[in-house]
Amino acid sequence: MNTANRATMMLETPFHSRVKELCQINDWGNWMGFTTPNAFFDVELEYFAVRSTTGVFDLSPMNKYRITGPDAEAYLNKMVTRNVSKIGLNRVGYTVWCNDAGQVMDDGTIFRLGPNDFRLCSYQRATDWLLWCAMGFDVSISDETDHLAALAVQGPTSCTTLTQMGLHDLNTLKPFGMREYDFEGEKLMISRTGFTGDLGYEVWVSPERAEPLWDQLFEAGRDYLIKPFGSYALDIARIETGFIQAGVDFVPAEEMVRPGRTRSPFELGLDWLVDLEKPLFNGRKSLIAEKEKGSRYRFAILNIDGNKPADHSFILKGDQQIGTVTSAAWCPTAKSNIAFAQLEMPEGGVGQEYVAEIYYQRELHWTRVLAPCRVLDGPIFNPKRRRQTPAIPH
Amino acid sequence: MTDFDAIIIGGGHNGLVCAGYLAKAGKKVLVLEARSVPGGCAATNEFVPGFKVSNCAQWLYQLSPAIIKDFKLKSHGLSFAAENLATIALDASENHLRISGDSLEGAGISSEDHENFRVFRRKMRKYAKLMQSAYEARPPKLVEHDWRDKFTMAKLGLGMKGLGKDDMSDLMRLILINIFDVMNETFASEQLRAALALDAVIGTPMGPRSPNTVFTYLHRFFGETQGFTGVSQVAGGLGALGDALSQSVTALGVEVRCNQSVTSINKTHDKATGVTLASGENLSASMIVSSADPVTTFRTLLGYSNVETGFARRIEHIRTKSGTAKIHLALTALPNFKGLDEAALKQRLIIAPTMNDIERAFNALKYDECSDHPALDISIPTLNDPSLAPPGQHVLSAIVQYAPHSPKAGWDSLRETFLDRVIGEIERYAPGISDLVCGKELLTPSDLEADFGMTGGNWHHGELTMDQVLMTRPAHGATQYRTPINGLYLCGAGSHPGGGLMGLAGKNAAQEIIRLGDAA
């Protein structure tokens, strides 16, 4: 039974007592069965906290798996498309993994905690697949989801806030690096990662230290206008910065019912994550074949005229429908109307111009807008501060 | 340069047949057999000093005549001690039923059942002929639109049409149901029903009421298309078939090495390059052809870490259960079966009084227990072939349905009990036989697994169920004898069309490899 598709929100995260207090408008959503806020007080203001000061997002429901044992690196190298050997100690790598048909099952991040000690964060529940992949490997796999609480602390003042909280010299931590600090008699792990495309960190503690972490963080960030944000604000931020989401921008391959509805990494614009030089990984044969034969679809980031978000729009070339939109948002910082689209090959080259067929309703009246749009050559929001080390103080 | 063009893992009949055809096509072939003799399940063993028995397969009833001819097996020592034996279904009140080809004798069979039997067999022959067109070719894939596969499918389709409307719709009805229902609707005689139902379940972990048992019946009946109207007995035991095949392929230039256990298949990237032996020796070849069962091939020899996960998962899911054991008795004299003369004892004797008896015997298997009253398929091979025992003495061999692979109590504590139980069953029809026993042996599914390298002890290298035959045998990704690893092929019973000392898997595999030519 997949709890993600059920209306029940039976679970609460270790931060729930604090989240509940700040969730002024009671707009709750379901994330893998966890009760999580869609919004705390105002989606746009929450979004602007991320872009202008510091936003805090509870990502405890994220599935976390610990993979250890002599074959841990070899195991992950077979499971995921990128070369895990290139992820250094105390470094984090974003990756996807595929089934044998080379279709993306999920995306996530790999944290290298030791030579053969990894943490994998995934969108989907993955125990079943992780165990199948373990056949023939000397690894042990455990689900750490309930043993780790995590907060994303994102935005220009995030480094300053966390330093204020006592994480000294945090500004020297490089993007995709991680580091441990003492916290309340335990270890706190912090990684310079996130889903907003901004300067930002993710902070990992035991569930017992979750409430002290939240309290100390908000105390430290008070002067830096720290605010919690919910999944709606996160959605705007991730679209603005070009991050796809499992279950939204692609159907997890092993959940697909209708043939042809899944996507390969190439079709999601993730070529850079696929290392075909690796001797073996799930999907390799199919992906090599796809390279030769050509992909069916191309992932495109579209800049659409006007300010009507192009949710679920058809993309037209003349009279012909050549694709559909999977994610769309008006992006306030970029001041652009952005959409992710799946376009039929060979469409979707950078600079190509199409029309988005947008439908929206005002007071029971449906209106259609045919908005010209153009394929961008990458994410529209990509600030320098996201990568700068040492992180600049605010 | 590699040491060989092809290394065949396993010198069973399919491995040898494949090797022989590849040698005929000019390949330099090495066969590596883990056991001390070639032949695999076509084996003879001296289980008690002076007493020999076919210690894995008991009868020959499906071997392709084309293979006998292509490898001149008769001039390499294959001879039959008896051919196309009758089946005698034993009856406690000596009202035995004799089944030979289309004819039935004894047991008070009604004239209607005589006619029903002829009609039934005529229909089965038509179905078996249809299977033949599929069995004697590589299994067709459905979605790749290859013309060869389309041809096979077209032949199958035409064959179906050729059955006529009634027989075709009856086949569609029968193929997925169970032999119990088919027997009940066809015959009045319970003795006849049970005798035929036994043929459907022997070698399977299924009972007469299990779905799929009409298919397994047809699989066995397929032997009729290969010229067998009954079981045959090979002179010297089935090991003589292994020897004849080995000699023949050796004459064709194949090198057959026994006592050579392969421990791993070696590869670079996705190309198989050779094998490593238990001795540590490495041998290289441009192709590796495994006649080991698919689970052994991929789990043990290649390693699941070397194939993509979805494929590994499908291999791991192959059902390889067995419910079949063998028992061998050394006898100081010919046993006396009530109501049977010596000529009758030369035939195939079965103990399966009713279908419910078989079903009850099967019930135990479901719970990994031994049958209280197992069904038996008995041979007294020394009557047709006195060379197997000292003069005047005899061997009795029986296939036993059902015994589990891993009983909860463990075989160590059950072995003697179960042996005695089986002897007790025979004793009911052959009083005094236990006093003649001077040596005995029980081969459980786990013994057969260990000795012959068959996962689960399943003599088909994977159950013959509708989801594990044709284009899904052994599993998607390894059909048509190819595997995800370039240069690694399958040629054993785990591949289409399955097991039963038929040789077609080995033959089809060789044909496919030869057809692929340089691409192989």
Side-chain angles (χ1 to χ4, degrees):
Chain A
M1 188 64 76
N2 185 350
T3 48
N5 296 330
R6 299 168 73 194
T8 51
M9 293 179 280
M10 304 292 286
L11 306 171
E12 293 176 352
T13 79
F15 298 104
H16 191 72
S17 63
R18 303 301 189 265
V19 168
K20 191 173 61 180
E21 224 168 275
L22 295 175
C23 187
Q24 297 170 13
I25 58 173
N26 257 329
D27 186 353
W28 298 99
N30 177 9
W31 179 4
M32 290 284 160
F34 283 88
T35 314
T36 51
N38 292 324
F40 283 87
F41 48 96
D42 180 287
V43 175
E44 293 220 339
L45 290 179
E46 291 167 34
Y47 160 85
F48 274 115
V50 174
R51 289 286 181 247
S52 312
T53 61
T54 295
V56 178
F57 181 82
D58 176 6
L59 51 87
S60 305
M62 174 77 73
N63 294 295
K64 299 169 280 277
Y65 300 94
R66 189 67 168 267
I67 296 152
T68 55
D71 290 342
E73 182 184 297
Y75 163 81
L76 280 171
N77 261 332
K78 177 178 154 183
M79 194 187 108
V80 306
T81 55
R82 78 181 273 176
N83 192 338
V84 175
S85 311
K86 290 182 179 169
I87 301 174
L89 187 62
N90 292 320
R91 300 281 302 160
V92 185
Y94 171 69
T95 188
V96 292
W97 47 100
C98 296
N99 61 9
D100 289 18
Q103 302 298 295
V104 177
M105 293 178 64
D106 200 359
D107 64 347
T109 43
I110 294 174
F111 293 69
R112 186 170 209 142
L113 309 169
N116 271 309
D117 184 357
F118 297 89
R119 177 172 297 137
L120 175 76
C121 293
S122 69
Y123 168 78
Q124 294 280 104
R125 298 255 192 272
T127 309
D128 180 59
W129 184 247
L130 293 179
L131 291 177
W132 279 116
C133 291
M135 289 196 300
F137 290 100
D138 185 359
V139 287
S140 78
I141 292 155
S142 62
D143 185 341
E144 289 191 325
T145 306
D146 292 341
H147 310 309
L148 270 180
L151 290 180
V153 184
Q154 307 274 308
T157 63
S158 57
C159 182
T160 309
T161 297
L162 286 161
T163 308
Q164 194 77 15
M165 198 186 83
L167 310 187
H168 301 298
D169 300 325
L170 181 63
N171 61 343
T172 58
L173 186 64
K174 291 177 183 165
F176 293 102
M178 61 176 153
R179 194 182 278 174
E180 278 189 339
Y181 287 92
D182 291 323
F183 180 75
E184 297 280 300
E186 278 187 12
K187 291 288 180 201
L188 163 156
M189 204 267 275
I190 187 159
S191 54
R192 188 166 165 188
T193 49
F195 204 47
T196 63
D198 218 307
L199 172 66
Y201 301 86
E202 287 168 336
V203 190
W204 314 77
V205 293
S206 72
E208 293 72 32
R209 298 293 178 275
E211 289 172 351
L213 171 65
W214 183 282
D215 295 343
Q216 291 184 31
L217 182 66
F218 276 78
E219 179 60 30
R222 190 165 25 181
D223 292 346
Y224 301 93
L225 302 178
I226 194 168
K227 297 269 187 279
F229 66 102
S231 48
Y232 291 158
L234 179 68
D235 206 42
I236 300 172
R238 67 118 188 147
I239 292 169
E240 193 168 40
T241 202
F243 289 150
I244 60 167
Q245 192 180 335
V248 177
D249 297 300
F250 64 91
V251 183
E254 296 285 296
E255 286 195 355
M256 176 269 286
V257 174
R258 296 163 186 84
R261 301 291 165 89
T262 56
R263 294 292 184 267
S264 76
F266 303 142
E267 293 167 339
L268 293 172
L270 301 173
D271 307 45
W272 63 281
L273 288 177
V274 181
D275 184 356
L276 292 174
E277 298 301 310
K278 283 200 299 178
L280 176 74
F281 63 87
N282 290 333
R284 178 175 182 267
K285 261 198 151 176
S286 302
L287 291 173
I288 289 173
E290 184 180 330
K291 270 263 181 237
E292 282 167 11
K293 217 176 68 184
S295 302
R296 302 161 299 168
Y297 300 96
R298 177 147 48 192
F299 172 78
I301 300 178
L302 302 175
N303 193 354
I304 299 171
D305 284 6
N307 60 2
K308 295 277 177 293
D311 289 303
H312 316 300
S313 295
F314 287 119
I315 302 301
L316 309 176
K317 180 189 187 185
D319 294 342
Q320 198 190 347
Q321 181 213 316
I322 54 143
T324 51
V325 166
T326 56
S327 284
W330 166 257
C331 298
T333 304
K335 294 190 171 47
S336 302
N337 191 18
I338 298 296
F340 299 165
Q342 282 288 315
L343 303 181
E344 288 168 23
M345 289 294 273
E347 301 300 334
V350 172
Q352 291 290 312
E353 295 188 348
Y354 304 110
V355 169
E357 187 178 12
I358 305 169
Y359 289 81
Y360 67 95
Q361 197 198 44
R362 291 286 181 273
E363 296 178 325
L364 297 182
H365 184 81
W366 279 100
T367 307
R368 184 174 79 139
V369 172
L370 291 173
C373 57
R374 189 169 56 82
V375 177
L376 297 176
D377 65 354
I380 197 156
F381 179 80
N382 192 5
K384 230 188 228 167
R385 63 174 181 257
R386 176 182 178 183
R387 284 172 307 277
Q388 266 175 337
T389 310
I392 40 171
H394 279 271
Chain B
M1 278 305 289
T2 54
D3 301 330
F4 296 92
D5 293 329
I7 290 176
I8 313 275
I9 300 172
H13 72 294
N14 277 315
L16 292 169
V17 164
C18 183
Y21 283 113
L22 292 180
K24 279 178 186 237
K27 303 263 187 228
K28 187 183 174 197
V29 185
L30 170 69
V31 175
L32 296 167
E33 170 55 46
R35 303 181 81 244
S36 59
V37 287
C41 294
T44 305
N45 182 45
E46 192 168 324
F47 70 108
V48 168
F51 292 85
K52 286 187 270 187
V53 72
S54 300
N55 60 322
C56 191
Q58 175 167 292
W59 304 113
L60 201 64
Y61 49 85
Q62 287 176 318
L63 183 67
S64 160
I67 287 169
I68 297 179
K69 187 165 144 274
D70 289 351
F71 292 104
K72 303 187 178 68
L73 293 184
K74 295 211 164 143
S75 62
H76 285 283
L78 177 71
S79 72
F80 290 101
E83 288 183 80
N84 298 318
L85 293 170
T87 291
I88 299 176
L90 301 187
D91 176 56
S93 52
E94 300 181 32
N95 203 3
H96 306 306
L97 168 65
R98 182 189 169 100
I99 307 170
S100 179
D102 282 352
S103 84
L104 300 171
E105 276 174 52
I109 297 291
S110 66
S111 57
E112 287 86 354
D113 264 2
H114 278 284
E115 179 57 19
N116 292 339
F117 189 57
R118 275 190 295 275
V119 171
F120 175 74
R121 281 180 50 86
R122 191 156 61 229
K123 189 151 68 174
M124 291 299 121
R125 268 195 295 274
K126 286 170 83 172
Y127 296 159
K129 196 144 181 59
L130 183 63
M131 287 170 86
Q132 190 182 4
S133 66
Y135 273 25
E136 291 179 350
R138 74 174 194 191
K141 288 190 189 178
L142 294 180
V143 290
E144 275 76 2
H145 303 297
D146 182 277
W147 67 266
R148 274 174 214 85
D149 294 344
K150 282 185 175 172
F151 184 70
T152 308
M153 292 303 287
K155 251 171 79 177
L156 261 175
L158 278 175
M160 292 276 281
K161 254 186 113 64
L163 291 173
K165 193 163 167 269
D166 291 347
D167 282 351
M168 180 172 81
S169 63
D170 212 29
L171 175 64
M172 302 312 286
R173 182 180 70 88
L174 293 176
I175 199 78
L176 292 173
I177 66 172
N178 61 76
I179 200 73
F180 183 90
D181 289 347
V182 175
M183 291 295 101
N184 276 335
E185 70 182 28
T186 311
F187 302 111
S189 161
E190 182 59 31
Q191 216 172 333
L192 177 59
R193 293 170 179 166
L196 301 182
L198 183 66
D199 278 351
V201 300
I202 212 148
T204 77
M206 296 181 255
R209 283 181 179 82
S210 307
N212 202 91
T213 41
V214 179
F215 178 78
T216 48
Y217 181 82
L218 276 170
H219 180 82
R220 186 179 173 103
F221 199 93
F222 168 78
E224 302 244 349
T225 67
Q226 307 296 305
F228 292 88
T229 55
V231 297
S232 293
Q233 185 187 329
V234 170
L238 276 164
L241 170 61
D243 289 336
L245 263 171
S246 178
Q247 272 184 34
S248 171
V249 301
T250 303
L252 289 167
V254 174
E255 189 181 338
V256 181
R257 292 189 202 164
C258 291
N259 292 311
Q260 301 287 311
S261 180
V262 174
T263 53
S264 70
I265 296 169
N266 304 321
K267 66 183 264 287
T268 57
H269 275 60
D270 50 5
K271 169 92 176 74
T273 55
V275 296
T276 300
L277 303 176
S279 62
E281 187 183 355
N282 287 306
L283 294 166
S284 64
S286 42
M287 70 174 88
I288 309 298
V289 188
S290 175
S291 71
D293 71 79
V295 177
T296 300
T297 302
F298 293 106
R299 180 165 68 191
T300 312
L301 299 180
L302 187 68
Y304 285 149
S305 59
N306 286 312
V307 292
E308 296 186 15
T309 299
F311 179 73
R313 181 165 61 171
R314 283 194 292 276
I315 296 294
E316 187 66 10
H317 275 150
I318 294 174
R319 279 168 292 101
T320 57
K321 196 176 171 182
S322 169
T324 309
K326 274 294 290 296
I327 182 175
H328 306 135
L329 303 179
L331 303 171
T332 53
L334 187 64
N336 175 32
F337 278 76
K338 289 188 285 182
L340 292 180
D341 59 12
E342 193 173 312
L345 293 182
K346 289 180 171 179
Q347 312 301 315
R348 172 186 184 232
L349 312 178
I350 60 171
I351 299 178
T354 68
M355 290 198 290
N356 277 343
D357 289 327
I358 307 175
E359 190 72 28
R360 275 192 206 97
F362 167 66
N363 283 348
L365 182 73
K366 290 188 278 192
Y367 311 105
D368 285 329
E369 291 162 4
C370 297
S371 306
D372 286 335
H373 300 286
L376 302 174
D377 175 341
I378 299 169
S379 161
I380 306 176
T382 37
L383 278 173
N384 296 315
D385 184 0
S387 73
L388 297 171
Q393 306 195 55
H394 287 276
V395 168
L396 183 146
S397 162
I399 303 167
V400 183
Q401 298 281 129
Y402 300 82
H405 176 278
S406 306
K408 277 172 225 116
W411 271 115
D412 286 346
S413 61
L414 283 176
R415 190 175 291 274
E416 283 304 310
T417 324
F418 191 60
L419 252 170
D420 290 343
R421 190 185 297 168
V422 176
I423 296 170
E425 282 303 304
I426 303 171
E427 179 91 28
R428 288 163 62 184
Y429 300 88
I433 191 171
S434 38
D435 299 332
L436 305 177
V437 175
C438 63
K440 57 190 177 180
E441 174 181 58
L442 170 70
L443 298 179
T444 68
S446 58
D447 296 330
L448 293 166
E449 174 182 61
D451 194 1
F452 296 93
M454 305 182 287
T455 301
N458 183 285
W459 75 23
H460 292 291
H461 286 194
E463 292 173 40
L464 274 183
T465 48
M466 293 307 289
D467 58 330
Q468 297 191 157
V469 295
L470 286 167
M471 55 290 275
T472 51
R473 187 165 188 86
H476 172 62
T479 56
Q480 298 189 335
Y481 315 101
R482 279 177 273 181
T483 73
I485 310 294
N486 295 328
L488 176 63
Y489 298 85
L490 300 177
C491 73
S495 291
H496 172 79
L501 294 187
M502 191 186 277
L504 288 177
K507 184 182 181 196
N508 291 350
Q511 279 172 349
E512 188 64 11
I513 291 166
I514 292 162
R515 193 188 64 73
L516 287 168
D518 289 339

